[in-house]
Amino acid sequence: MAAIDDAVRTEMERARQPGLTLGLTNRDGTLLIRTYGFANLASRQPVTPETLFEIGSIGKTFTAMATIQLVDEGRIELHAPVAHYLPWFAVPQPPGHAPITIAHLLSHTSGIVAGIDGTPEAAFQVWSLRELPTRSAPGERFHYSNVGYKALGLVLEAVEGRPYREIIRDRVLVPLEMSATEPAITHDIRARLAVGYEYLHDDRLSHPDAPLAPATWLETETADGSIASNAEDMCAFVRLLLRRGEGLLSEGSFAQMSTGSPLEDENDAYGYGLLMRNLDGRRFIGHGGGMVGYLAGMQADTDANLGAIVLQNGMGAHPMALARTVIRIADGEPATSTGTATPSALDELAGVFETDEPGCEPIELVGAKSGAVLRSGDQEIGLHQLDSDLFLAPDPAFDRFPIRVERRADDALELWHGGRRYVRAGASVRRLPEPSAELRAIAGHYRSHNPWTTNFRIVLRGDQPWLIFAGPPDGFDTEQPLVPGDAGSYRVGEDPGNPEAVSFDTVVDERALRAWLSGWPYYRAD
């Protein structure tokens, strides 16, 4: 379909996406396979229908299906404690809280951390949960957890007595005739994979004009996402969703998978390895996925009898949104587009903002026909809206941090760029509390050799520390305040039930040299 090709090429051009493949299917068979761009930029090797892409957390849906199959067979009890299957599984919980069950892991409601992927395997990461206390009761709140699905993979292996890759191959891939799909990322399949690409500067916010570099290669076989596939094979898996699990699951079991409690956005709900989303009168079910250098999106609209898969070897395009666009076009709707922040998005912010930091020029926010613009000196930088009150200025002078709008109780506005504050010209300036020596010691840039989450920064806004990522890992936002906790640690964000935390040690010359991000070490880089 020409309209689908146009929508994909527009998105790829906007995002400077290296390569992409998509598939469209209904319950009965594949309707369309398309390939675009390059599997390898250096050799100009094009993406072909046979090219494999890492599908990331879409693998959680495979894990959930294998788990539910074992539930149907009576070999796993959904509401049994995880420790029933993994006797060494232990997580510190507040007194009186019920044990964490298989169902809690499937639905991301266990209360455990998301997991920083601090090691290349699963067992040690799951073992390390005994050092990371929860702050909410199981079932109380949703907090996405990769390490929770790693634990499910270990449960599957304990029950079946064989490796995760064999379980997924025999229980999902073979029945669906997904013969090209690999259930583990290994050196042996690397030649069949598109090269993954990341942004060259891992400590700067990403944007379409940012240069790319080949992503770090790594092997993985963990149940939170270790599958490589192509669009044709993934269409077979999407058909399983459209047929409500027919052939692999009972109708009741699929209903359990695809029914969940509403998330913060009441249009979204997460069941067991499936995300349900209500948008513009449609109900989509599916899952997204991200790996080091890859993104993927899987969506199915059972009412329209259409599903789509999008696989890409770069981080710029939005595969979940593109999959929904493909479904809408195939169902007769016009394509939609994404763009920069519109002038109306910044109407109330228009004006000149000044900072009292020595040597720093004021900035001006204005609307323009092409979108909202930040003026700095003789530069005009088009703004991208990342979130409500969060913007990106894609320029080397500004792209280390987003621009956050802070709305004060007296209706005055302040702009924060990292630890620098801008106040509207002529407005009153509130005095900020002085940070303590302890806070000054933790401010800085921290790094690790972890390819998933390479670095983060701690900045001070008065006496309030903030944790900021160039690319936030699962369980975190681009930036969030730190709240003092026990034993010198800091809880991440304002939610008292959030299990993520940061602590610091090895203070030398009034600077902390090491930070522990939810249990894993990072070291001062500047």
Side-chain angles (χ1 to χ4, degrees), residues 278-282 284 328 333:
N278 295 312
L279 287 174
D280 304 321
R282 292 180 182 269
F284 295 100
R328 289 189 173 109
E333 287 189 27

Side-chain angles (χ1 to χ4, degrees), residues 493-521:
E494 297 175 349
D495 180 0
N498 188 350
E500 311 296 348
V502 189
S503 61
F504 304 84
D505 61 25
T506 318
V507 177
V508 177
D509 293 333
E510 301 180 334
R511 299 194 312 163
L513 300 186
R514 182 168 57 183
W516 295 85
L517 181 65
S518 290
W520 299 98

Side-chain angles (χ1 to χ4, degrees), residues 104-331:
H104 293 140
L105 296 182
L106 284 167
S107 59
H108 298 291
T109 58
S110 64
I112 62 176
V113 296
I116 300 297
D117 288 295
T119 72
E121 50 69 75
F124 188 82
Q125 289 186 53
V126 175
W127 175 274
S128 297
L129 290 172
R130 64 189 54 228
E131 300 172 358
L132 301 171
T134 63
R135 292 190 177 93
S136 62
E140 184 175 294
R141 56 171 36 80
F142 177 90
H143 187 74
Y144 192 86
S145 178
N146 290 308
V147 70
Y149 266 75
K150 285 181 169 70
L152 284 171
L154 298 176
V155 169
L156 291 177
E157 291 182 338
V159 172
E160 287 266 35
R162 54 184 178 150
Y164 174 79
R165 71 176 76 183
E166 293 181 12
I167 297 168
I168 295 303
R169 189 180 298 280
D170 291 348
R171 287 187 169 273
V172 181
L173 303 184
V174 170
L176 295 180
E177 298 183 347
M178 297 174 66
S179 58
T181 301
E182 298 289 347
I185 309 299
T186 67
H187 293 303
D188 292 339
I189 71 167
R190 189 174 183 181
R192 298 165 57 202
L193 277 162
V195 174
Y197 290 93
E198 291 190 301
Y199 293 101
L200 176 63
H201 299 289
D202 66 350
D203 59 348
R204 294 174 180 266
L205 298 171
S206 60
H207 54 85
D209 291 328
L212 298 174
T216 302
W217 166 258
L218 67 157
E219 291 191 302
T220 181
E221 187 185 352
T222 57
D224 55 331
S226 65
I227 294 172
S229 189
N230 60 30
E232 182 68 65
D233 267 23
M234 287 304 299
C235 278
F237 192 77
V238 175
R239 285 194 288 277
L240 181 69
L241 302 184
L242 292 172
R243 297 196 302 262
R244 301 188 58 79
E246 180 184 330
L248 287 188
L249 299 173
S250 67
E251 175 70 20
S253 292
F254 186 82
Q256 279 186 307
M257 282 190 67
S258 58
T259 303
S261 300
L263 306 183
E264 186 175 341
D265 182 342
E266 293 189 357
N267 289 317
D268 294 348
Y270 198 96
Y272 296 158
L274 282 173
L275 175 68
M276 283 63 67
R277 174 164 290 173
N278 295 312
L279 287 174
D280 304 321
R282 292 180 182 269
R283 182 178 186 265
F284 295 100
I285 63 173
H287 213 290
M291 296 291 277
V292 179
Y294 304 85
L295 287 177
M298 176 181 69
Q299 294 282 253
D301 180 341
T302 56
D303 292 332
N305 185 24
L306 289 168
I309 183 72
V310 175
L311 308 174
Q312 64 189 56
N313 60 337
M315 312 306 286
H318 303 300
M320 289 287 275
L322 188 54
R324 292 191 291 270
T325 295
V326 169
I327 290 171
R328 289 189 173 109
I329 293 173
D331 203 33

Side-chain angles (χ1 to χ4, degrees), residues 351-406:
V352 175
F353 290 79
E354 299 173 327
T355 178
D356 57 4
E357 189 171 325
C360 293
E361 296 182 346
I363 60 174
E364 183 180 7
L365 303 183
V366 296
K369 289 183 180 179
S370 59
V373 167
L374 181 149
R375 289 177 178 161
S376 175
D378 59 357
Q379 286 186 293
E380 287 197 352
I381 306 165
L383 288 176
H384 296 259
Q385 187 160 10
L386 302 177
D387 203 345
S388 176
D389 288 340
L390 200 68
F391 299 87
L392 161 64
D395 181 87
F398 290 94
D399 63 6
R400 282 181 175 83
F401 303 104
I403 296 171
R404 173 176 289 276
V405 180
E406 184 171 321

